């Protein structure tokens, strides 16, 4: 089981299944949402994701129709993303997980959107949109 939470500690969650589609996303939305050159994202089946505390401490932003990013109201940590057309999955941010994880990033996605000052320094495959199969 993986445990994680937000910076201030109000929001806590547990993950009891595998992380899927672990990627570095360089899209302009992830850059703004995280304030970083890229986001480190993974999918979890909703049945394996549970809030331990603070679900009512989240606030959300609908970045596109049906796609809602949820943040801690107090500290702003990005906790989950949901797509109303795909309720069986949530997307989480690897940096909010405190446990050692066994999964590893498999690709850079939206690599063509990356910031001009961002250099990709590893050998993972790079895609101009989502990785194949998603
Ligand atoms: Zn917080
Ligand atoms: Zn992105």
């Amino acid at each position: 089981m993986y445990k994680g939470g937000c910076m201030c500690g109000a929001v806590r969650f547990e993950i009891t299944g595998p992380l899927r589609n672990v990627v570095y996303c360089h899209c302009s939305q992830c850059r703004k949402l995280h304030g970083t050159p890229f986001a480190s994202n993974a999918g979890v089946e909703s049945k394996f994701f549970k809030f331990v505390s603070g679900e009512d401490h989240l606030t959300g932003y609908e970045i596109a129709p049906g796609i809602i990013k949820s943040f801690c109201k107090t500290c702003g940590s990005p906790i989950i993303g949901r797509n109303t057309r795909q309720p069986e999955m949530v997307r989480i941010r690897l940096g909010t997980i405190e446990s050692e994880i066994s999964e590893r990033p498999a690709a850079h996605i939206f690599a063509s959107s990356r910031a001009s000052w961002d250099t990709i320094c590893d050998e993972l495959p790079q895609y101009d949109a989502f990785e194949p199969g998603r």
Side-chain angles (χ1 to χ4, degrees), residues 8-133:
C8 76
V11 181
R12 303 283 311 160
F13 60 80
E14 290 176 354
I15 295 167
T16 53
L19 303 178
R20 304 194 185 282
N21 303 104
V22 183
V23 292
Y24 296 123
C25 184
H26 298 256
C27 83
S28 59
Q29 294 175 337
C30 282
R31 286 193 273 130
K32 281 236 165 169
L33 287 166
H34 300 271
T36 51
F38 54 86
S40 307
N41 299 333
V44 180
E45 286 180 63
S46 302
K47 65 184 178 195
F48 296 137
F49 181 91
K50 170 174 102 171
F51 284 105
V52 177
S53 66
E55 185 171 5
D56 60 352
H57 209 77
L58 295 171
T59 188
Y61 174 61
E62 191 167 13
I63 193 167
I67 300 179
I68 299 148
K69 308 290 184 179
S70 296
F71 305 83
C72 173
K73 250 185 239 183
T74 298
C75 68
S77 287
I79 304 297
I80 57 169
R82 290 184 199 270
N83 183 338
T84 54
R85 285 178 300 276
Q86 205 185 4
E88 69 281 7
M89 294 293 288
V90 298
R91 297 287 296 170
I92 58 102
R93 320 297 159 206
L94 294 187
T96 63
I97 299 175
E98 295 153 10
S99 312
E100 268 308 314
I101 61 171
S102 49
E103 298 85 351
R104 291 292 179 264
H108 293 272
I109 64 171
F110 293 93
S112 57
S113 299
R114 73 184 184 278
S116 60
W117 44 271
D118 175 16
T119 306
I120 295 175
C121 299
D122 62 37
E123 302 303 315
L124 292 175
Q126 301 179 18
Y127 302 104
D128 286 344
F130 286 111
E131 70 275 32

